[in-house]
Amino acid sequence: MVKGLDDRQKQEISIPRHIGIIMDGNGRWAKKKGLPRSAGHKVGANKFREITKHCSKIGVEYLTVYAFSTENWKRPKDEVWFIMKLFKQYMNEALSDFSYENIRVNFLGDKNGFTEDLRNLIDKVEESTKNKTGMTLNIAMNYGGRDEILKAVKEIAMEAQKGAILPNDIKISDISDRLYTKNQPDPDLIIRPSGEYRISNFLLWQSAYSEYVFMDDILWPDFNVKDLERAIEEYSNRNRRFGGV
Ligand code: IPE
Ligand code: IPE
Ligand code: MG
């Protein structure tokens, strides 16, 4: 825990430039309390607001939150409907709330999966925050890492077909530059609460050298600033080598 560290130790804590969070465990949280899954999503959405503001405050440059995967559509219709309703509500609030925050909102995922009004709302939020100079908040919604890489591969294949690029000349950056995270640094730290030790299709390409912190003693709706600090402390103690020595 960061709490209880002396000043010297605190100075050794390095704040990751880019944090990814797989916001998992809403359903189990609700079940434990005898509530419908939707109640977990609602509390989870509020947690997301709180953690976003805190990350911005401590100097995180990029925060990517995984809110809905390309696979989550297979859930019961009423659950999907409720999540979309929450997302819409959040986007509407972000329009007024974020005018006071120096946060730029960027959307990761396939917008075509949404209704037209939601698509327009997303565009509006992106547009109205695009000149902010503080933290970039990436909201991954209808996002899948495989889907994202496939999209990039298709674009490159089209270019090759037109003769604009030679297959043998395709570089790693040709793929990176066609992802939703174009021009952004890769995530340094990826946090997953809820006790699941897997990636679930999150930032597959970008996480090649990310540090994972899986937390099995906390579900997302209970996650707070102290838990974020615990994860950052654990990250600070890792020795990142990127294949070197
Ligand atoms: C994460 O919580 C939110 C979404 C995937 C939309 P879950 O809904 O997956 O919660 P659990 O994993 O079932 O507890
Ligand atoms: C990953 O969680 C997606 C989000 C948190 C948005 P899931 O709950 O969908 O993942 P699995 O099914 O446990 O792998
Ligand atoms: Mg889950």
Side-chain angles (χ1 to χ4, degrees):
M1 282 264 197
V2 170
K3 192 172 164 236
L5 294 180
D6 62 30
D7 286 345
R8 185 190 56 78
Q9 283 168 316
K10 272 185 190 157
Q11 274 166 14
E12 284 166 13
I13 298 289
S14 55
I15 300 294
R17 267 189 92 188
H18 186 169
I19 298 181
I21 304 181
I22 302 175
M23 305 187 291
D24 196 22
N26 295 351
R28 277 164 284 170
W29 181 90
K31 194 174 174 197
K32 255 179 39 187
K33 293 195 147 30
L35 298 168
R37 291 178 61 85
S38 56
H41 293 312
K42 201 162 176 206
V43 177
N46 285 329
K47 276 294 146 167
F48 155 63
R49 286 178 176 82
E50 181 189 326
I51 297 298
T52 297
K53 287 185 183 166
H54 187 75
C55 283
S56 161
K57 202 171 99 189
I58 63 174
V60 172
E61 291 175 50
Y62 297 85
L63 172 68
T64 302
V65 290
Y66 200 11
F68 193 86
S69 75
T70 45
E71 286 72 46
N72 286 147
W73 296 104
K74 50 173 101 134
R75 294 186 177 203
K77 263 204 183 83
D78 59 338
E79 180 171 346
V80 170
W81 176 84
F82 190 83
I83 293 169
M84 292 302 148
K85 196 177 94 169
L86 276 179
F87 185 47
K88 204 147 128 192
Q89 216 172 19
Y90 175 76
M91 284 297 183
N92 264 318
E93 283 167 21
L95 274 176
S96 55
D97 199 15
F98 278 17
S99 53
Y100 307 105
E101 303 271 344
N102 196 14
I103 296 175
R104 181 178 165 180
V105 184
N106 186 34
F107 175 86
L108 314 187
D110 183 4
K111 290 181 192 168
N112 295 320
F114 302 130
T115 54
E116 199 187 335
D117 58 334
L118 191 46
R119 268 202 311 270
N120 291 339
L121 199 52
I122 292 167
D123 289 343
K124 223 163 139 186
V125 173
E126 285 184 332
E127 182 60 31
S128 71
T129 61
K130 74 172 188 211
N131 293 324
K132 303 276 185 175
T133 54
M135 186 179 83
T136 295
L137 169 65
N138 291 322
I139 303 177
M141 187 91 190
N142 193 22
Y143 172 87
R146 287 183 169 178
D147 200 58
E148 181 184 37
I149 295 168
L150 180 65
K151 181 180 87 68
V153 168
K154 279 183 184 165
E155 282 175 24
I156 295 170
M158 304 269 233
E159 306 245 325
Q161 196 179 35
K162 282 188 295 187
I165 189 167
L166 291 172
N168 218 16
D169 291 345
I170 298 169
K171 303 179 296 302
I172 284 176
S173 60
D174 289 318
I175 299 207
S176 304
D177 290 348
R178 286 172 176 83
L179 301 179
Y180 297 119
T181 49
K182 178 178 189 277
N183 296 329
Q184 297 189 7
D186 286 337
D188 301 292
L189 163 66
I190 295 182
I191 304 169
R192 182 169 193 162
S194 96
E196 307 296 359
Y197 295 76
R198 54 177 172 262
I199 307 171
S200 302
N201 210 4
F202 185 51
L203 302 177
L204 295 182
W205 178 274
Q206 298 89 333
S207 64
Y209 277 101
S210 300
E211 296 297 328
Y212 277 93
V213 173
F214 293 106
M215 304 173 91
D216 58 10
D217 56 356
I218 190 95
L219 299 167
W220 176 251
D222 285 330
F223 195 93
N224 62 34
V225 167
K226 285 270 164 291
D227 300 304
L228 181 75
E229 287 175 349
R230 267 201 296 154
I232 293 177
E233 191 198 350
E234 158 106 35
Y235 162 83
S236 298
N237 291 330
R238 301 271 176 94
N239 180 8
R240 304 184 79 189
R241 284 186 292 276
F242 299 95
V245 285

